[in-house]
Amino acid sequence: MIEVAAAIIEDTDGRILIALRREGKSQAGLWEFPGGKIEAGESPEDCLVRELQEEMKIEIEPYAFFAVNEHAYETVTIRLIAYRAKMLGGTIRLSDHDEYRWVQAGELTQYLFAPADIPFVEQLSAH
């Protein structure tokens, strides 16, 4: 099983950051909450700080555990661990995604998400 961390980043208007997986990657063309694989000895929070700096060139602060979901894809099972986070600085510059958007929680269901992210979409859009 691969452990992956996902950041649910809200801006001051309450919008949530989502990103479109780049063509050529697994789950290409699907939306996700940004994050990445947790490396050996790394906490989910540290992983998110590193991944968001690498993939989007932004500084974030994970501040609260949100939820965990396990999903079996055809070739791999992942444990996706989500944390709420706030953006501290930087300007989004994509290196691992084709697009990003800031959307209201109620709008999340209008996007086609990677299967492992769907339970988080459901939780967020229900509130």
Side-chain angles (χ1 to χ4, degrees):
M1 180 172 313
I2 297 173
E3 289 202 323
V4 180
I8 297 170
I9 304 167
E10 285 186 74
D11 68 7
T12 54
D13 295 324
R15 297 175 305 169
I16 298 168
L17 180 64
I18 61 173
L20 186 65
R21 292 191 56 87
R22 172 168 278 165
E23 286 304 318
K25 297 188 73 85
S26 66
Q27 308 298 310
L30 298 177
W31 292 88
E32 68 177 356
F33 299 104
K37 291 180 190 161
I38 300 171
E39 295 180 353
E42 190 175 46
S43 71
E45 298 95 324
D46 289 342
C47 170
L48 290 171
V49 169
R50 176 184 53 77
E51 287 281 353
L52 273 288
Q53 178 61 46
E54 289 174 4
E55 293 183 358
M56 295 187 158
K57 309 299 182 222
I58 59 172
E59 294 173 42
I60 67 160
E61 180 184 338
Y63 64 86
F65 172 79
F66 179 72
V68 64
N69 180 46
E70 289 184 10
H71 185 82
Y73 289 101
E74 286 183 21
T75 57
V76 68
T77 299
I78 69 166
R79 176 180 290 125
L80 187 59
I81 305 164
Y83 278 80
R84 289 192 178 272
K86 58 185 170 187
M87 189 167 148
L88 300 178
T91 300
I92 296 176
R93 293 191 313 276
L94 301 177
S95 65
D96 213 45
H97 296 90
D98 283 336
E99 190 179 337
Y100 74 91
R101 293 196 184 150
W102 290 98
V103 300
Q104 295 293 336
E107 299 170 329
L108 289 169
T109 57
Q110 298 171 22
Y111 295 86
L112 190 58
F113 274 82
D117 290 79
I118 290 173
F120 304 151
V121 169
E122 292 168 349
Q123 281 181 263
L124 289 162
S125 60
H127 295 291

